[in-house]
Amino acid sequence: MNLNKIIFLLLPFINLSYGQNRVIEYKMLLNKSNTMENRVFDAYPNAEENLKLVSLSLVYNKDEMIFYIKKIPKTVQDDIGSSLLITDIQGIYHRKSNSEDLFIEIEKYGSQENFIVKKKSTTSWNITTEKKMICGYECIKAISTFDVDSDENEVKKRLSPIIAWYCPQLNDSYGPKGIGGLPGVILELEHISLVYVAVKINDKENNDIISLPKDKKIITESQMFEGF
């Protein structure tokens, strides 16, 4: 019998102990089935190959999480930089357990540098009966919608579907880009033109600091757009 199945039978939930962080590594794939976003592939012809080289990490414990781009090979950093524009990854994402507040560390926006944006982030989910295995864990499909900006200059709102595959066995409400609200960690997330897929899950005893930095100015999203 597969080891992961044995663990699943013996331990309905795998809980983190004190001082332990769980690290989930993700890769990004382009969602070519989203016909509304097909123009993206024309604008960034190398995006599909470039994004395969990017590694992202979700590090969390019982109290909080952090999500960030972990690795970009130096040899292709300039080319990948333009490809990352289509991902809408704004910076380093922080979130406390059971909180609607999402904090994003941003290195630079216009003339502004090294600050933190605080925003409300809530998602209502419709949990389905569909299941599949990801990294040896059984996951359940959930569907929602999310407001996104469709135009940077003239902000327009439209509804964009989100498809998440969450793992009840990893019973913390976290996910890529701080998206959560489900009874388990999101191991696969499909949103607009991107799919985030978990490729490796590790538990480790460490003292890694994943808390929000205290030496950076915290502003609202409106203040960021206004240039605070």
Side-chain angles (χ1 to χ4, degrees):
M1 181 182 290
N2 182 282
L3 179 59
N4 285 315
K5 292 183 178 179
I6 295 174
I7 295 174
F8 185 81
L9 290 172
L10 295 177
L11 298 174
F13 300 105
I14 299 179
N15 293 309
L16 293 172
S17 62
Y18 178 78
Q20 187 178 39
N21 289 341
R22 179 168 289 133
V23 182
I24 303 179
E25 295 182 16
Y26 294 80
K27 65 179 178 180
M28 286 187 291
L29 304 172
L30 289 184
N31 177 21
K32 292 186 175 180
S33 65
N34 190 331
T35 56
M36 294 178 63
E37 300 296 329
N38 278 342
R39 63 184 183 278
V40 168
F41 310 121
D42 296 329
Y44 302 96
N46 297 324
E48 185 170 14
E49 292 303 315
N50 286 342
L51 294 180
K52 289 179 181 179
L53 303 174
V54 178
S55 177
L56 306 101
S57 288
L58 172 66
V59 184
Y60 70 91
N61 52 43
K62 300 304 296 183
D63 299 317
E64 57 196 331
M65 60 143 282
I66 184 173
F67 180 76
Y68 60 95
I69 294 176
K70 178 183 177 183
K71 180 182 178 182
I72 299 177
K74 291 183 178 180
T75 53
V76 290
Q77 279 183 356
D78 291 340
D79 196 20
I80 286 180
S82 60
S83 298
L84 286 173
L85 293 175
I86 69 172
T87 68
D88 193 36
I89 295 177
Q90 298 173 298
I92 300 174
Y93 295 77
H94 294 263
R95 191 170 196 160
K96 292 282 189 180
S97 176
N98 300 318
S99 173
E100 294 182 357
D101 293 330
L102 179 64
F103 296 87
I104 309 172
E105 283 186 72
I106 296 179
E107 183 176 346
K108 187 175 179 63
Y109 182 84
S111 60
Q112 309 158 62
E113 296 183 354
N114 296 316
F115 59 96
I116 296 170
V117 172
K118 178 182 177 180
K119 59 191 294 186
K120 293 290 184 182
S121 178
T122 59
T123 310
S124 297
W125 297 98
N126 174 30
I127 296 176
T128 74
T129 58
E130 291 186 58
K131 297 179 180 181
K132 71 175 180 179
M133 302 297 290
I134 302 174
C135 289
Y137 292 87
E138 184 176 76
C139 296
I140 300 173
K141 184 179 181 179
I143 303 173
S144 184
T145 55
F146 194 79
D147 286 333
V148 296
D149 296 339
S150 60
D151 189 302
E152 184 176 355
N153 299 314
E154 180 183 353
V155 177
K156 301 174 182 178
K157 293 291 185 178
R158 60 183 169 85
L159 290 176
S160 175
I162 300 177
I163 297 175
W165 293 87
Y166 72 93
C167 177
Q169 192 179 354
L170 307 176
N171 63 332
D172 293 285
S173 186
Y174 300 125
K177 297 176 65 176
I179 294 176
L182 287 164
V185 176
I186 297 172
L187 296 187
E188 181 173 314
L189 180 73
E190 179 182 326
H191 187 206
I192 314 178
S193 57
L194 267 294
V195 181
Y196 302 85
V197 184
V199 294
K200 188 177 182 181
I201 301 174
N202 286 322
D203 292 343
K204 61 179 182 179
E205 300 285 347
N206 60 33
N207 294 312
D208 289 355
I209 298 174
I210 65 174
S211 299
L212 197 67
K214 297 181 179 179
D215 59 346
K216 294 185 178 181
K217 183 180 180 69
I218 298 178
I219 63 171
T220 65
E221 199 169 24
S222 297
Q223 287 176 313
M224 180 181 74
F225 293 138
E226 292 169 0
F228 65 93

